[in-house]
């Protein structure tokens, strides 16, 4: 039986494994999706050497890579959205969504601002946390808008994968900034594994998120 204490290390090997499988089995690879997986995988592998976040340097390197990976995923989603159609048919939903985003960012800002970071680089750490959470909220919003516009299986799996990543991060924020409850950490791990599984599965659908020429590096 696997000890629960080793689950965080096992999880850090999951995305690199998904990356290898994607590179081996996918014929029409998306360059942006490859960059998303590779940057996330490199961060996870580096994180293996410091699972307790003791190194400030590794904290910034890993979180910069995680941030970059989410930007690549966000780029995939934004490139696929037909904004004219979205504006024409879902303007009210867009307004409500971004009001909700603003509220969530204020809540997260308050949690981070009140936390006492044990580092000499408090301003830089807080800036990193703000930027990371801002990109996650954009990822949540635009993945939902993509699903709203496309309403197909591929966009649904992509949206669910993004939701899983974001809620996994929210649970970790709760674990680090509110209550150090192991259950939160293990739930975050499970959600992250499920999320990347969904993101991999959506690449197997033949439906394209956007009109591309066959064989394009940006096929998604």
């Amino acid at each position: 039986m696997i000890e629960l204490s080793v689950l965080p290390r096992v999880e850090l090997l999951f995305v690199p494994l998904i990356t290898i499988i994607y590179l081996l089995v996918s014929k029409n690879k998306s360059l942006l999706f490859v960059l998303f997986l590779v940057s996330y995988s490199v961060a996870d592998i580096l994180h293996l050497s410091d699972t307790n976040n003791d190194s400030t340097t590794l904290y910034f390197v890993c979180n910069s890579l995680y941030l970059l990976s989410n930007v690549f995923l966000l780029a995939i989603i934004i490139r696929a959205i037909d904004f004219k159609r979205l504006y024409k048919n879902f303007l009210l939903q867009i307004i409500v969504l971004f009001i909700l985003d603003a509220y969530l960012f204020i809540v997260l800002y308050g949690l981070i601002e009140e936390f006492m970071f044990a580092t000499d680089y408090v301003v830089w750490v807080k800036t990193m946390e703000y930027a990371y959470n801002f990109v996650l909220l954009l990822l949540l919003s635009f993945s939902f808008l993509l699903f709203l516009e496309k309403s197909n299986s591929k966009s649904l799996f992509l949206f669910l994968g993004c939701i899983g990543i974001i809620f996994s991060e929210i649970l970790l924020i709760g674990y680090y900034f509110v209550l150090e409850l192991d259950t939160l950490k293990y739930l975050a791990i499970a959600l992250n594994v499920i999320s990347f599984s969904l993101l991999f599965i959506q690449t197997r659908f033949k439906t394209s998120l956007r009109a591309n020429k066959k064989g394009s590096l940006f096929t998604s």
Side-chain angles (χ1 to χ4, degrees), residues 183-198:
T183 303
L184 292 177
K185 181 169 66 174
Y186 296 134
L187 282 174
I189 290 171
L191 263 180
N192 204 47
V193 169
I194 293 169
S195 301
F196 275 89
S197 298
L198 291 171

Side-chain angles (χ1 to χ4, degrees), residues 56-138:
T56 302
T57 302
L58 268 180
Y59 165 84
F60 284 111
V61 172
C62 288
N63 279 279
S64 295
L65 286 168
Y66 288 134
L67 178 61
L68 184 62
S69 70
N70 287 327
V71 169
F72 287 134
L73 185 56
L74 182 61
I76 292 171
I77 294 167
I78 290 175
R79 282 168 53 86
I81 294 175
D82 183 343
F83 285 98
K84 288 183 179 178
R85 181 171 180 270
L86 203 59
Y87 177 81
K88 182 179 179 181
N89 297 311
F90 305 107
L91 180 59
L92 180 60
Q93 290 91 327
I94 293 170
I95 293 171
V96 172
L97 184 63
F98 283 100
I99 290 173
L100 179 61
D101 274 351
Y103 171 75
L104 288 174
F105 185 77
I106 291 169
V107 171
L108 291 171
Y109 177 89
L111 287 174
I112 295 167
E113 193 64 28
E114 292 177 7
F115 189 77
M116 300 297 292
F117 291 94
T119 176
D120 295 329
Y121 306 96
V122 174
V123 174
W124 290 105
V125 169
K126 286 185 176 181
T127 301
M128 174 64 73
E129 294 292 334
Y130 296 145
Y132 188 75
N133 289 315
F134 180 70
V135 170
L136 285 179
L137 289 175
L138 290 180

Side-chain angles (χ1 to χ4, degrees), residues 22-41:
Y22 177 74
L23 292 173
L24 289 176
V25 305
S26 297
K27 293 181 180 179
N28 296 319
K29 299 177 182 65
S30 163
L31 176 59
L32 288 173
F33 196 72
V34 169
L35 291 172
F36 160 66
L37 289 176
V38 169
S39 53
Y40 204 102
S41 296

Side-chain angles (χ1 to χ4, degrees), residues 146-184:
L146 178 65
F147 171 62
L148 204 60
E149 186 222 333
K150 305 297 182 187
S151 296
N152 57 27
S153 297
K154 189 176 180 72
S155 61
L156 174 61
F157 272 69
L158 185 57
F159 173 52
L160 291 176
C162 290
I163 284 183
I165 290 174
I166 291 152
F167 274 92
S168 173
E169 292 295 335
I170 289 173
L171 287 173
L172 287 177
I173 289 172
Y175 175 77
Y176 287 117
F177 298 138
V178 181
L179 180 64
E180 281 197 42
L181 186 66
D182 285 342
T183 303
L184 292 177

